[in-house]
């Protein structure tokens, strides 16, 4: 499974429609383009001295914050119905929270911050009646956990994040998120910053991805966000966070599937079946949505939901429209059909063969608005899709229709298959030679690492091509067998070359899908090896 956005892209709320932002001072120039020195002198005098960030400074900041927090609590209790009576204490509390942000410059002090027992006080403000104060705290936590701040400070970061989690930061962040009104620009920015904070926490503690879905209603909020038709920065970020939550957690995949998530994501991508995104940001969002869909299609129960929601039909419609989502639709079909016969059968029934095989032959649409197509990735997806079709359709008229595709037009699909076979075979040979090179001796790779390097160079696709050849050969169609024999001979190869690839595949099949599935696949490969 590809990791959608494996390199984390840093954001801030400036990607959103601007809220009231601090204005930076500008110095008007004279006619000679010189700076007004009187203004510069005034600005210099107004600057406070730079604080030395050490334990003493930390304690002073924490003490001031705790004092203003107590003052605010006392004022609110004394004048519950008179906001004007506690407004000043709220402003002072805001100032102290802002001052704490300086701690992001000294992550080595985080353990001391935790020891001072200040984290519970800070997090309590996420439930503050004044949403602005809660958003101040969101901004503070975001700054303290920022990836750039925590670089090379793993141990200190983990101390802080563990303390945050122990004090229910996930529950408090999401509870605050649920009350935000995104029609207000400040609260819209606050929602964005909340997602950024959660991403930061996942970066430090990957287990947070599952924790936050178990303990909060974040998944529900994210689903609601991607359902909105209008595009904005928060919808884009919601799609990315959703993909992150799904990528490494089967539990989250099943959890979202049980919340009608497959149908919601399909509705979201359906908006682009006949039109392209209007911007690069919107294009990225659509790619995130397809990442979510592919993750969701890993558990078999979600494949069934995909089928019932007519996901196969939607993906074929998207392919036929030849818009930007063409490649992504093929990728989703590949996930849906892997080890799931009902999807393969539906694909044949709704004329999917007519749509997919032109792409298999290399006839793919061009789209001037799409960034450069990864031709190699698309080829690998199509090889996998065809292998899934053969594995999922074992008999009957559907099998005959699939086999007939390799007979029509004078066996052109077999010619294409052998062209791909040779290309991937040559790549694997080249990688094997590199691995055998003495210059790599110092890498000390074991057999598993060597095998994985070969898989990355194209061995897996080569194995799938060999599997397809096995299916074709055991069809006992004389014309198909004759064509395979001829093409092997032209390349100075024999059936033994194909058998060797199948044998290596057989010997390395894992039991990720269970011992029964492993045995079933190995039995099928043994049949091909003995027949070739």
């Amino acid at each position: 499974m590809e990791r959608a956005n494996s390199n984390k892209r840093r954001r801030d709320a400036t990607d959103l429609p601007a809220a009231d932002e601090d204005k930076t001072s500008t110095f008007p120039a004279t006619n000679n383009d010189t700076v007004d020195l009187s203004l510069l002198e005034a600005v210099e005098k107004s600057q406070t001295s730079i604080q030395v960030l050490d334990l003493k400074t930390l304690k002073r900041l924490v003490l001031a914050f705790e004092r203003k927090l107590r003052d605010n609590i006392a004022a609110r209790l004394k004048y519950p119905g008179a906001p004007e009576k506690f407004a000043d204490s709220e402003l002072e509390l805001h100032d102290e929270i802002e001052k704490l942000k300086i701690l992001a410059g000294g992550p080595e002090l985080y353990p001391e911050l935790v020891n001072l027992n200040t984290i519970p006080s800070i997090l309590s403000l996420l439930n503050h009646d004044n949403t602005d104060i809660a958003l101040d705290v969101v901004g503070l936590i975001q700054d303290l956990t920022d990836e750039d701040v925590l670089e090379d400070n793993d141990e200190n970061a983990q101390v802080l994040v563990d303390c945050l989690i122990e004090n229910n930061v996930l529950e408090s962040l999401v509870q605050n998120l649920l009350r935000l009104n995104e029609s207000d620009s400040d609260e819209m920015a606050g929602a964005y910053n909340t997602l950024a904070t959660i991403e930061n926490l996942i970066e430090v503690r990957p287990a947070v991805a599952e924790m936050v879905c178990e303990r909060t209603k974040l998944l529900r909020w994210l689903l609601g966000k991607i359902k909105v038709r209008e595009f904005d920065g928060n919808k884009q970020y919601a799609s990315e966070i959703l993909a992150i939550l799904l990528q490494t957690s089967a539990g989250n995949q099943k959890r979202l599937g049980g919340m009608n998530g497959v149908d919601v994501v399909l509705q979201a991508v359906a908006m682009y079946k006949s039109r392209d995104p209007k911007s690069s940001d919107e294009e990225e969002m659509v790619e995130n949505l397809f990442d979510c869909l592919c993750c969701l299609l890993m558990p078999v129960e979600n494949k069934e939901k995909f089928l019932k929601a007519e996901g196969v039909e939607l993906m074929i419609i998207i392919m036929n429209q030849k818009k930007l989502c063409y490649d992504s639709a093929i990728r989703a079909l590949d996930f849906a059909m892997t080890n799931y016969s009902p999807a393969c059968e539906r694909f044949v029934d709704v004329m999917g063969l007519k749509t997919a095989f032109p792409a298999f032959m290399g006839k793919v649409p061009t789209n001037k608005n799409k960034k450069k197509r990864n031709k190699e990735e698309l080829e690998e997806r199509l090889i996998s899709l065809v292998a899934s079709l053969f594995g999922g359709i074992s008999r009957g008229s559907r099998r005959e229709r699939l086999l007939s595709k390799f007979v029509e037009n004078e066996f052109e699909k077999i010619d294409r298959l052998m062209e791909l076979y040779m290309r991937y075979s040559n790549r694997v040979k080249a990688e094997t030679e590199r691995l055998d090179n003495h210059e790599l001796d110092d890498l000390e790779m074991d057999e598993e690492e060597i095998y994985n390097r070969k898989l990355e160079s194209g061995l897996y696709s080569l194995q799938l091509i060999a599997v397809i050849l096995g299916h074709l050969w055991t069809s006992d169609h004389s014309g198909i067998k004759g064509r395979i024999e001829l093409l092997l001979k032209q390349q100075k190869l024999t059936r033994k070359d194909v058998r060797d690839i199948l044998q290596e595949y057989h010997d390395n099949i894992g039991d990720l899908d269970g011992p029964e599935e492993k045995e079933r696949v190995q039995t099928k490969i043994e049949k091909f090896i003995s027949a070739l």
Side-chain angles (χ1 to χ4, degrees), residues 419-455:
E419 173 194 333
L420 293 170
Y421 179 98
M422 293 307 302
R423 185 190 309 160
Y424 284 96
S425 178
N426 290 335
R427 283 175 50 187
V428 172
K429 286 177 183 176
E431 180 64 17
T432 302
E433 289 174 2
R434 280 194 290 271
L435 292 171
D436 291 339
N437 193 303
H438 294 299
E439 295 176 7
L440 296 176
D441 285 348
D442 57 344
L443 295 180
E444 298 180 355
M445 290 186 291
D446 58 26
E447 289 186 10
E448 183 178 354
E449 290 174 306
I450 292 172
Y451 184 70
N452 287 335
R453 284 281 292 269
K454 290 165 66 177
L455 287 175

Side-chain angles (χ1 to χ4, degrees), residues 160-179:
L160 175 63
V161 170
D162 288 346
C163 182
L164 290 168
I165 293 170
E166 288 167 10
N167 286 278
N168 303 318
V169 68
L170 301 176
E171 293 87 339
S172 297
L173 280 170
V174 175
Q175 188 176 349
N176 182 59
L177 177 66
L178 296 176
R179 67 170 171 162

Side-chain angles (χ1 to χ4, degrees), residues 6 44 70 153 162 190 199 315 333 394 485:
S6 58
E44 287 177 342
R70 287 195 300 271
N153 283 277
D162 288 346
E199 186 179 11
M315 295 305 113
L333 285 169
S394 57
E485 287 269 33

Side-chain angles (χ1 to χ4, degrees), residues 359-375:
F360 179 77
M361 294 298 295
K363 300 172 184 176
V364 295
T366 57
N367 191 316
K368 64 182 180 179
N369 295 323
K370 184 174 176 63
K371 59 187 178 184
K372 188 176 180 181
R373 165 175 282 116
N374 189 332
K375 181 181 177 182

Side-chain angles (χ1 to χ4, degrees), residues 97 100-101 122 135-145:
I97 295 171
L100 287 175
K101 290 184 177 182
I122 292 172
L135 295 182
D136 287 340
V137 173
V138 172
L140 172 61
I141 302 171
Q142 182 186 1
D143 283 0
L144 295 178
T145 58

